[in-house]
Every structure is written in C-alpha cells, then in structure tokens.
Amino acid sequence: MSLKHALLGLLSERPASGYDLLKTFETSLANVWPATQSQIYTELTKLAGSGQITVTAEGPRGRKEYALTDEGMTELRHWLTETRPQRNTRSDVLLRVFFLGVLRPEQAREYLTGLTEMSREGYEQLRQLADSIDWDDDNLSVYGRIALEYGLRFNAMRQEWAEWAAGQIK
Amino acid sequence: MSLKHALLGLLSERPASGYDLLKTFETSLANVWPATQSQIYTELTKLAGSGQITVTAEGPRGRKEYALTDEGMTELRHWLTETRPQRNTRSDVLLRVFFLGVLRPEQAREYLTGLTEMSREGYEQLRQLADSIDWDDDNLSVYGRIALEYGLRFNAMRQEWAEWAAGQIK
DNA sequence: AGCTTACCTTCCACTGTTGACATGTCGAGT
DNA sequence: ACTCGACATGTCAACAGTGGAAGGTAAGCT
C-alpha cells in the first residue's frame, strides 16, 4: 500500500488539497504510481483520521488543504529507509511474450514491433517533458531528473530489446 | 485481469492441474505475474464455469486436470492480438526516488546503492537460470529466451542507472 | 444576467490480490 | 506400523484499485 506513502511524500513538499494531489497524480506521478480520484480522497480521509496529516486551511469550494504532521513525516522516513522488500512488479507486456507461440510468427513479430513503437513514443514524450522543465538545484529537481532519466533509459532498453526480439523469430 | 490470460496461456501448452499451475507461477512466472494459490484455484473454477477450460481427467488426491477449450483458445488469441492498451505499471522502487529529498544525502545514496546491489543479484540469478535450462527450438524455448533476455537487459540497465544516480547526489 | 468551465468532494458497487485457515490423501523411508 | 513431506483443493476476511454517479461552488466570459 504505497498510495499512502505517495501522498505523504507529496505533502512533505507542500500542503495541498485532494484536487491538487489528483492533478499531480495525473501528470508527474502517472507513470510511476497511477491513482484515481476516489482512491485519493478515501486515503486522505484515512490519513487524517490516523493523525499523519491534518487540515490546515479551508478554501472556497469546500476545499480542504492538508499538511503533513510530525507523525506523518516519521512514517515517510520509515518507509524510505527501513522497508526494503520491494514488491514484485506485474507486466502484462511481458506476460504476452510468453504466449506468443500460439500466434503465427508474423503476428508475433507484429506485437514486438508494436512494442518498439510504443517505447520510441514513450522515450520521445519523456524527452519533451525533460526539455519543458527548467531544472534548478533543489531536491525536487535533482530527484525528479533522476527518475526521469530512469524512464528514458527504460524506454531505450525496451526499444532495443523489442527490435532484437523481432529478429529472433523464425 | 491478466491472471485469467496467464492461466489460459499455460494451459494452451499442455493440460495441467491447479497444483501444477501453482508451481509454474512460483518459478517461471513469478517475475512477470505473481499469483497465489487461492487466486489460481478461484480463477480456474470461474474459467471452467464459463466454458473456457474443462476438466479432462481426475487423478489421485482429488486432482483435477484442466485443458483449454476452443472458446478459451479464441479468448487467448483475442487478448494477444486485439487488446493493445497495456496497463500502467506501478513501481514502488521508483516512487521512493521521488521523495529521497526528505532524507539526508548519504541516506539517499545508500538507497541507490541498495538498488545497484539488488539489480546485480537479479542479473546473476537470471544468468544462472539461463545456464541451467537446455534450450531447444520449440516455441516455449524461443519465447522463454526472449523474455529472459528482457530480464537480463532490465537488470543491467537498472544497475547502471542506480550507479549513475548515486553519483548525482550532492 | 446567464452560461460554461473548472474546481472540489463524497459515496458506492465491483473486481483483483493477499494471507491465513481448513482439510485431506498418497508415497517413501525408518 | 508410523510418520513426514509432497501433493491437492477449497474458503474466507480484509484490503487495494477501478470506474462512475451524484452533488455542489466559484470564476470568467459574453
């Protein structure tokens, strides 16, 4: 259950409302930990109930601004430093590869070239995102850039792999 | 809901019991689509109910052997060829990177060197797995090798990235 | 003044996933 | 004869995640 930690992490940077956080999840966090509106509001209510965040201001349209409490910060640090065991990741992209044998070779190759294309597009999107941000030297920039670099390398790796794989068939 | 398709895919190769499938999930499929015993048995019952698989034999300890029906094969092919939109993948490994700024630089670096190590180990395990299998030219071997190559490249990429990232801090 | 768009939250039904508990059988070795 | 480990299945409570309905307010444009 890392949604909780994603929220604590975002609130550690600055106070925000559910709506603000939702926007962040739709943009910068979408590729790492997607979350829906219903999930976010539910989790905020729970976190507020357990004292890890509090309402610091109420705005115009019933807007509630949340901020991290000391307790929440402790939990966030604990998650970052103590809990090593990373959960196994599921990949339906790769799962399909296992069963491509039930298709005709040209169909299988088609799937892999589709992956090549998808990775190329992913790479380009991240490139553009990187160019559109003016990075400075604060924490957010440093670690944001590191995460983005991961995305670039991942897509490049997958593209090369898919091209190689398509060549392996038949 | 790809567990369903994972089961159909495995049964497309040969008939198997829930127990057999569980073993496969614990070994070869563990890195791609982990599943628990309860999930597998529940899903098998549902698939049998909807006619995509059938019981072909009953063995010693109440063992039931399932096989794919034509309907199941159709569904499997459909999933492989028609359903492109791949679900977004969640990564708690990367999520943490976003929030490493709340830690002291040396703690953040520690996290990244931990990832380096994890990736190195992952690479080695797959290397050993690759060596222990004697590959031939059937479908299972061809696509199994392709999937394994993905794992090798992924771990190599992540290791290099984590080393680079550790160097970026401070 | 009226309309539209963006802002903002809550609730609910459904599916997927986890972990534990319950139950029992067969085969091999002592 | 006994026991232990592998074989084998089923069920349940709890939590995580999806998608959508419902309801409402403020701000900006014409």
Side-chain angles (χ1 to χ4, degrees), chain A:
Chain A
M1 54 144 173
S2 289
L3 171 63
K4 166 178 162 179
H5 299 110
L7 291 170
L8 292 176
L10 290 176
L11 290 176
S12 77
E13 280 153 21
R14 74 188 65 81
S17 69
Y19 194 79
D20 294 339
L21 294 166
L22 176 60
K23 293 299 149 190
T24 309
F25 272 92
E26 281 171 358
T27 55
S28 66
L29 241 53
N31 302 306
V32 173
W33 203 274
T36 58
Q37 172 256 77
S38 33
Q39 235 187 317
I40 292 169
Y41 282 109
T42 308
E43 192 65 39
L44 284 174
T45 308
K46 267 170 60 183
L47 284 171
S50 72
Q52 299 179 55
I53 60 176
T54 37
V55 177
T56 49
E58 309 225 359
R61 282 151 281 234
R63 174 195 169 95
K64 279 184 275 185
E65 200 175 71
Y66 293 97
L68 210 59
T69 61
D70 288 347
E71 208 179 317
M73 184 52 110
T74 305
E75 171 59 26
L76 177 60
R77 279 188 216 279
H78 179 262
W79 173 68
L80 283 168
T81 54
E82 306 305 320
T83 64
R84 284 296 145 136
Q86 330 282 335
R87 75 129 75 188
N88 318 23
T89 164
R90 287 186 165 82
S91 166
D92 74 333
V93 170
L94 203 51
L95 182 60
R96 283 167 215 241
V97 173
F98 273 94
F99 306 128
L100 286 179
V102 309
L103 299 180
R104 294 194 307 275
E106 66 265 28
Q107 287 180 301
R109 220 176 293 114
E110 207 174 292
Y111 177 72
L112 291 169
T113 54
L115 288 185
T116 307
E117 188 51 26
M118 182 195 300
S119 306
R120 213 188 46 69
E121 280 167 16
Y123 185 91
E124 271 316 311
Q125 276 180 21
L126 289 178
R127 267 287 314 270
Q128 282 174 27
L129 181 63
D131 288 348
S132 75
I133 298 175
D134 50 330
W135 306 97
D136 44 38
D137 286 338
D138 61 14
N139 278 332
L140 207 57
S141 283
V142 172
Y143 293 106
R145 202 157 31 186
I146 287 175
L148 206 143
E149 175 71 19
Y150 177 94
L152 288 171
R153 292 184 185 215
F154 174 77
N155 277 288
M157 179 279 290
R158 196 169 62 172
Q159 189 189 330
E160 280 177 40
W161 165 81
E163 278 167 6
W164 167 84
Q168 293 297 107
I169 295 179
K170 239 208 158 180

Side-chain angles (χ1 to χ4, degrees), chain B residues 1 3 33-39 46 60-61:
Chain B
M1 54 143 174
L3 171 63
W33 203 274
T36 58
Q37 177 256 78
S38 38
Q39 235 186 318
K46 267 170 61 184
R61 282 153 279 234

Side-chain angles (χ1 to χ4, degrees), chain B residues 3-64:
Chain B
L3 171 63
K4 166 179 162 179
H5 299 110
L7 291 170
L8 292 176
L10 290 176
L11 290 176
S12 78
E13 280 153 20
R14 74 187 65 81
S17 69
Y19 194 78
D20 294 338
L21 294 165
L22 176 60
K23 293 297 149 191
T24 309
F25 272 92
E26 281 171 358
T27 55
S28 67
L29 241 52
N31 302 306
V32 172
W33 203 274
T36 58
Q37 177 256 78
S38 38
Q39 235 186 318
I40 292 170
Y41 282 108
T42 308
E43 192 65 40
L44 284 174
T45 308
K46 267 170 61 184
L47 284 172
S50 72
Q52 299 179 55
I53 60 175
T54 38
V55 177
T56 50
E58 308 224 358
R61 282 153 279 234
R63 173 193 168 94
K64 280 183 275 183

